[in-house]
Amino acid sequence: MATIDIHVHTEVHHHDDHEEHDHHGNFWTSYIFCQDHKVIAKQFLITGMAWALIGGVLSVIFRLQLGFPDAKLEWLRPLLGGWLTSDGKIDPEFYLALVTMHGTIMVFFVLTAGLSGTFSNFLIPLQVGARDMASGFMNMLSYWFFFLSSAVMFTSLFISTGPAGGGWTVYPPLSALPQAVQGSGLGMTLWLVSMALFIVSTLLGGINYITTIINMRTQGMSFTRLPLTIWAFFFTAIIGLLSFPVLFGAALLLIFDRSFGTSFYLSDIYIAGEALPHVGGSPILFQHLFWFLGHPEVYIVLLPALGITSEIIATNSRKPIFGYKAMVGSMLFITILSFVVWAHHMFVTGMNPFLGSIFTLLTLIIAVPSAVKIFNYVTTLWKGNIKFTSAMMFSIGLVSFFLTGGITGLFLGNSAVDIQLHDTYFVVAHFHLVMGSASFFGMIAGIYHWFPKMFGRMMDERLGSIHFWMTFVGVYLVFFPMHYIGIAGFPRRYYSWTNFETFSSFADLNMLVSIAAIVTLSAQFIFLFNFFYSIFRGRLASANPWDSNTIEWTTPRHPKHGNWPGDIPTVYRWPYDYSKPGAKEDYIPQTIPYSETPESNLPHENELIKLEMGNTGAIVIDEKKH
Amino acid sequence: MAKGSKKINWNSIMEKSVRSEMKIVEEPKKPIAMHPKKFAMWLFMASVMMLFASLTSAYIVRQAEGNWLYFELPLLFYYTTAIIAVSSVTMQVAYFAAKKDNTGVVKIMVLITSVLGVLFLIGQVKGWGEMARQGVHFVGNPSGSFVIAISFVHGLHIISAVVFLLIVLNSAIRLRIHSKNMAQMEMCTTYWHFLGALWIYLFIFFLINR
Ligand code: HEM
Ligand SMILES: [Cu+2]
């Protein structure tokens, strides 16, 4: 116990001594192979933003095809080259590759690495009160594995047979047989290599996050005093640690099938009338393995966003978070449930209907903790002294998407209803709202909120608000109509619907969606401008611009490696003492002891003063060493 | 307790009023706190567990679908199982020796453990050969593919553990392992036992589910 902590102190003091030296270090050690969690967080952020831009542009390209099926896209030839057919249309196989890359990039590279990588890295040491991650070296490796994985995936966009084309879920046999589509050749191989590297990166990161949260908290930072952000990152890392190895197993067997001729997933396949040698495998097996990761993955994407927005909403409502324990409890419950619902993605694989009912039941139970979270968000906002900062607006946007997208989850979770809706645009609408947009908004909210801590300057609030309204309205215009298109039966991953008479009445709606997508994407450039401009020219940030309680705001404006110049602050209270009756200000940072706030203490908190004074007997004296 | 900190009584400080010179901090409440690296090691093992849990459950799911080739496990697998069990014993002996600062024994036992690890690997590869002579190849009915794939992935982990053993051996030679510096030794021992137990689990699993 205490021993460990002191040990850390000694080590870190050491570190401080080396710091001067670090600073005279060259460009490579300070910016590239840096082990400071704050720098690594920024590396994840910038890489994630680059990927988001690529993923967004890909979606607009395929939306052009869906919204304007007759348009001539000759003007895109400089970008797409041979992927346009001779009459200026997108090649159908390339369409599939675009969708696949868009999904893979958004889910894994933007909302897993970009979101968890950025905010877990940045906030965990700063909010639990640690000098750095448990292992700075592993943390650095985590980023560089992600970078390698990105480089491989990026390369696959430019090879002549194109990137993987079997959907982000890479179901065999499509993904296992190079003869199936062009994208199942080299593109698929690169996809698998890239994802293997990605999994290594995620595991390195996750192990570090959990270890840091459990072992490196500062004095007084008990579990019940952790900000909800940290709880969310903690659960996210646990889910990742338990589910990514399963994807690794699934991918490994797929690699064996593809490259060594085994038949784990393949059986009885005829191509051009000839039987393939593979017999005895089962493609459904892959789906089980994939979705055992795949469903928890949606929570890997969503939980950090929920944590970030809980923090932002409490801060900007100037109210304690409603139901802190319920928030933690529901996240824990979601974490557990996320491992036992995977087969709701497989209702139409011919599974036993009884099993289907069990998975329906388990799936619908997730609605309970989710509803608890929404309720708590709303009650935190209720009668709050709300400050509509950009971060706050994006957080409220998340609550809205989480609700509208979550409701359609109840439809899809029913095995009987899903038979009609499966693989239609209804599903696309559902997961874009609840997972895509909600998490994306959480990430943007986090950037607006912690930008001052990251770069010491403020982002422009007016541009932020324009960015919010365009994106918020845009997202609903893009994804809401997709529900109707889906209920009408339009399947996802279809290149064209013009051949089906039934769908011609949806041409206008599809056009509207595509225009909205273009506008939404354009709005992101306002954000990019705001981001990069503010890094250099933004208004200088004060130490604690949002009057927040958490301890990252007690660091200097530009924290060095080691975060606090002196000792790490001790924590005396939970992070949500906003507008406490009797208090002088509407916030009391976690570092203020109860003994200094007699005017606002509750009876049981007065008891705690004795603890602060160390009356329990032994206390630890930490002698200063410089 | 590490240097630079001592436990003293609050009242006595108050009396001596040295409060201003020292920073007084609350006794940290840390429900679980471990050596961070050891803790990370346990987390790593949890993820390895999940990898094998996924592969063995894939095995069961696939087996339940029928068209499953029954075959005898290679005789060599019984020997390799014995080897890995013995290597756990030698590893534990090395660990106890390190605790007693008996570096000579540590070196010999870690070396023996590494050799046993290599023998295990050779045995596994020859075992696949034995399967091939029975007509069970990597390519073919998934029942054989699974056994080979799973033992192959396990073997990769054993290779990583042998590398770890060699690192420990190197530290032992440089006298960096002793009763006051056990972290590396403990981690290596845990990992080795873990992989041994994992193989025994896998072996029994193969025996039961054929
Ligand atoms: C500009 C914003 C976006 C637009 C316009 C957009 C549009 C689309 C459309 C129309 C599809 C379905 C294509 C088809 O099935 O034929 C799709 C697929 C997908 N999108 Fe998005 N999307 C956007 C942002 C996101 C975000 C933020 C995520 C993050 C979760 C995401 C994740 C996915 C996934 C996982 C798929 C499925 C890919 C597959 O079928 O393999 N998208 N997107
Ligand atoms: Cu799911």
Side-chain angles (χ1 to χ4, degrees):
Chain A
M1 17 170 277
T3 331
I4 300 289
D5 203 55
I6 302 303
H7 177 68
V8 169
H9 273 257
T10 4
E11 249 179 22
V12 169
H13 281 290
H14 238 19
H15 220 127
D16 287 347
D17 298 337
H18 284 289
E19 183 152 324
E20 307 297 324
H21 164 88
D22 257 347
H23 263 261
H24 302 299
N26 58 26
F27 171 78
W28 291 95
T29 52
S30 335
Y31 295 104
I32 307 296
F33 294 109
C34 181
Q35 299 188 12
D36 182 352
H37 70 102
K38 297 186 291 299
V39 175
I40 296 173
K42 287 176 202 168
Q43 291 173 327
F44 269 109
L45 177 60
I46 302 290
T47 320
M49 279 166 60
W51 273 123
L53 199 60
I54 297 172
V57 168
L58 296 185
S59 72
V60 164
I61 296 175
F62 62 69
R63 269 316 320 176
L64 284 178
Q65 159 63 29
L66 291 172
F68 308 96
D70 303 321
K72 295 264 173 290
L73 301 176
E74 271 312 322
W75 54 277
L76 277 173
R77 197 168 288 281
L79 183 66
L80 300 182
W83 289 116
L84 286 182
T85 55
S86 49
D87 54 348
K89 294 251 187 81
I90 289 175
D91 180 84
E93 284 199 9
F94 183 56
Y95 176 89
L96 295 177
L98 282 173
V99 173
T100 306
M101 280 298 110
H102 163 76
T104 307
I105 289 170
M106 288 298 191
V107 172
F108 292 111
F109 290 13
V110 179
L111 294 178
T112 303
L115 180 60
S116 268
T118 305
F119 289 101
S120 295
N121 264 313
F122 192 74
L123 292 180
I124 289 176
L126 281 172
Q127 289 195 332
V128 305
R131 301 271 176 199
D132 202 330
M133 283 288 178
S135 166
F137 179 70
M138 263 167 67
N139 211 17
M140 181 190 83
L141 274 188
S142 161
Y143 176 74
W144 287 105
F145 268 102
F146 170 52
F147 186 84
L148 261 182
S149 149
S150 296
V152 173
M153 196 63 89
F154 192 68
T155 313
S156 83
L157 289 171
F158 296 100
I159 60 179
S160 67
T161 48
W168 78 282
T169 53
V170 295
Y171 284 175
L174 189 54
S175 61
L177 300 172
Q179 310 90 307
V181 281
Q182 287 195 22
S184 294
L186 183 59
M188 189 62 215
T189 307
L190 293 177
W191 191 96
L192 287 165
V193 171
S194 169
M195 285 313 295
L197 293 167
F198 185 87
I199 293 170
V200 174
S201 155
T202 316
L203 292 180
L204 285 169
I207 288 179
N208 239 327
Y209 306 151
I210 301 176
T211 310
T212 310
I213 293 172
I214 291 197
N215 294 295
M216 317 259 298
R217 281 166 291 134
T218 183
Q219 273 110 25
M221 184 61 90
S222 57
F223 274 105
T224 45
R225 287 177 184 167
L226 285 177
L228 286 173
T229 36
I230 302 298
W231 274 111
F233 299 149
F234 181 59
F235 290 130
T236 306
I238 292 179
I239 299 180
L241 198 72
L242 297 180
S243 64
F244 269 109
V246 179
L247 179 64
F248 196 84
L252 197 70
L253 298 187
L254 186 55
I255 291 173
F256 287 148
D257 273 5
R258 284 171 55 81
S259 310
F260 299 91
T262 54
S263 319
F264 290 109
Y265 303 134
L266 301 172
S267 191
D268 307 316
I269 294 171
Y270 292 81
I271 287 190
E274 267 193 54
L276 295 185
H278 302 275
V279 276
S282 155
I284 306 288
L285 179 61
F286 179 86
Q287 298 197 16
H288 279 296
L289 290 174
F290 180 87
W291 285 112
F292 192 84
L293 156 94
H295 188 83
E297 170 65 24
V298 311
Y299 288 102
I300 292 178
V301 161
L302 188 62
L303 282 181
L306 293 179
I308 287 170
T309 48
S310 305
E311 181 66 30
I312 294 173
I313 287 186
T315 306
N316 290 295
S317 304
R318 313 309 295 162
K319 272 182 66 189
I321 191 85
F322 187 91
Y324 174 87
K325 291 218 169 103
M327 286 299 234
V328 175
S330 51
M331 280 197 283
L332 173 67
F333 197 31
I334 287 176
T335 302
I336 296 168
L337 282 176
S338 75
F339 285 104
V340 292
V341 298
W342 77 91
H344 62 212
H345 298 274
M346 300 167 59
F347 286 142
V348 295
T349 56
M351 73 196 292
N352 182 330
F354 177 68
L355 204 60
S357 312
I358 292 179
F359 277 103
T360 295
L361 180 68
L362 289 167
T363 302
L364 296 188
I365 292 177
I366 293 200
V368 177
S370 308
V372 169
K373 291 203 77 87
I374 302 236
F375 179 80
N376 286 357
Y377 275 127
V378 174
T379 37
T380 304
L381 286 163
W382 181 253
K383 293 194 172 166
N385 180 11
I386 299 178
K387 301 222 156 65
F388 287 102
T389 62
S390 311
M392 181 65 165
M393 289 194 283
F394 274 95
S395 304
I396 297 174
L398 170 141
V399 178
S400 165
F401 294 145
F402 189 41
L403 181 63
T404 37
I407 284 175
T408 51
L410 295 176
F411 300 32
L412 292 168
N414 279 285
S415 50
V417 182
D418 188 56
I419 290 170
Q420 155 77 6
L421 295 175
H422 181 76
D423 257 350
T424 65
Y425 264 74
F426 192 84
V427 177
V428 177
H430 158 71
F431 74 72
H432 275 91
L433 285 177
V434 74
M435 159 170 94
S437 308
S439 309
F440 185 71
F441 268 45
M443 179 167 170
I444 298 285
I447 297 175
Y448 278 110
H449 193 76
W450 279 285
F451 189 87
K453 194 73 262 157
M454 288 183 178
F455 299 102
R457 290 172 187 270
M458 309 295 286
M459 285 179 78
D460 187 273
E461 287 290 323
R462 184 164 324 161
L463 288 180
S465 145
I466 298 173
H467 174 215
F468 168 75
W469 284 111
M470 285 181 73
T471 314
F472 184 71
V473 175
V475 164
Y476 270 128
L477 281 180
V478 171
F479 296 116
F480 216 83
M482 286 188 193
H483 290 112
Y484 301 108
I485 303 174
I487 293 172
F490 187 64
R492 67 192 273 209
R493 294 176 183 157
Y494 266 37
Y495 163 73
S496 155
W497 39 270
T498 37
N499 295 341
F500 306 98
E501 197 43 50
T502 355
F503 297 125
S504 49
S505 58
F506 289 103
D508 295 347
L509 208 51
N510 264 316
M511 208 184 294
L512 170 79
V513 167
S514 295
I515 294 171
I518 294 169
V519 173
T520 314
L521 181 72
S522 327
Q524 307 316 306
F525 288 93
I526 302 176
F527 168 77
L528 285 178
F529 169 77
N530 193 353
F531 183 86
F532 287 108
Y533 183 83
S534 305
I535 289 181
F536 301 105
R537 296 285 170 79
R539 201 157 47 79
L540 292 191
S542 58
N544 187 358
W546 316 119
D547 292 340
S548 179
N549 286 341
T550 39
I551 60 175
E552 75 271 26
W553 304 105
T554 61
T555 58
R557 196 168 72 96
H558 282 294
K560 302 244 160 51
H561 195 177
N563 296 340
W564 285 269
D567 290 319
I568 301 180
T570 301
V571 164
Y572 296 98
R573 57 177 77 231
W574 78 327
Y576 298 109
D577 269 347
Y578 290 107
S579 304
K580 202 171 180 188
K584 291 189 209 92
E585 307 226 34
D586 70 347
Y587 69 111
I588 312 176
Q590 284 188 280
T591 49
I592 308 283
Y594 288 118
S595 52
E596 288 178 21
T597 56
E599 67 281 1
S600 65
N601 287 351
L602 300 171
H604 75 275
E605 291 167 344
N606 281 323
E607 303 283 304
L608 289 174
I609 295 180
K610 292 194 209 107
L611 257 181
E612 282 167 6
M613 302 296 286
N615 254 9
T616 44
I619 47 162
V620 177
I621 303 295
D622 192 4
E623 283 165 328
K624 280 228 162 99
K625 259 183 278 29
H626 322 271
Chain B
M1 186 139 289
K3 287 172 279 172
S5 66
K6 47 187 160 124
K7 281 198 171 183
I8 45 166
N9 188 289
W10 167 249
N11 296 328
S12 68
I13 318 171
M14 280 295 268
E15 280 154 25
K16 291 177 194 155
S17 68
V18 288
R19 194 177 174 188
S20 50
E21 287 162 42
M22 294 181 168
K23 192 184 140 259
I24 295 154
V25 282
E26 193 186 333
E27 175 88 2
K29 282 182 242 118
K30 305 225 159 171
I32 327 167
M34 263 175 101
H35 187 289
K37 284 209 177 112
K38 269 189 239 162
F39 189 81
M41 176 95 215
W42 279 99
L43 293 178
F44 173 69
M45 290 189 301
S47 70
V48 174
M49 265 311 296
M50 284 308 293
L51 175 60
F52 284 93
S54 73
L55 291 173
T56 46
S57 40
Y59 182 106
I60 294 175
V61 169
R62 171 59 197 80
Q63 189 188 31
E65 286 180 17
N67 183 13
W68 189 255
L69 180 74
Y70 176 90
F71 64 94
E72 288 296 331
L73 283 178
L75 198 58
L76 262 166
F77 277 12
Y78 291 88
Y79 295 130
T80 52
T81 309
I83 292 177
I84 208 78
V86 172
S87 76
S88 259
V89 176
T90 55
M91 191 71 213
Q92 195 60 28
V93 173
Y95 173 77
F96 287 138
K99 264 190 143 170
K100 293 188 191 123
D101 290 328
N102 200 343
T103 316
V105 177
V106 175
K107 279 187 269 188
I108 294 172
M109 283 301 159
V110 170
L111 189 64
I112 293 179
T113 313
S114 334
V115 171
L116 288 176
V118 173
L119 280 181
F120 172 83
L121 287 170
I122 296 172
Q124 297 291 81
V125 175
K126 296 226 152 159
W128 299 339
E130 212 179 290
M131 280 169 63
R133 279 190 294 281
Q134 271 188 59
V136 180
H137 299 273
F138 185 43
V139 174
N141 189 289
S143 68
S145 315
F146 263 116
V147 171
I148 294 178
I150 293 176
S151 52
F152 169 74
V153 178
H154 177 262
L156 291 182
H157 287 87
I158 290 282
I159 293 178
S160 75
V162 170
V163 172
F164 196 178
L165 280 170
L166 296 180
I167 294 172
V168 169
L169 185 62
N170 181 39
S171 315
I173 291 171
R174 287 154 189 258
L175 299 178
R176 283 210 217 101
I177 289 187
H178 44 78
S179 55
K180 298 267 156 44
N181 196 5
M182 288 290 289
Q184 201 184 42
M185 186 76 205
E186 272 173 29
M187 282 164 64
C188 191
T189 313
T190 316
Y191 190 42
W192 192 262
H193 288 329
F194 167 71
L195 290 182
L198 182 60
W199 172 253
I200 292 170
Y201 155 71
L202 290 172
F203 186 61
I204 295 173
F205 174 87
F206 290 146
L207 281 180
I208 295 175
N209 303 293
R210 265 189 287 172

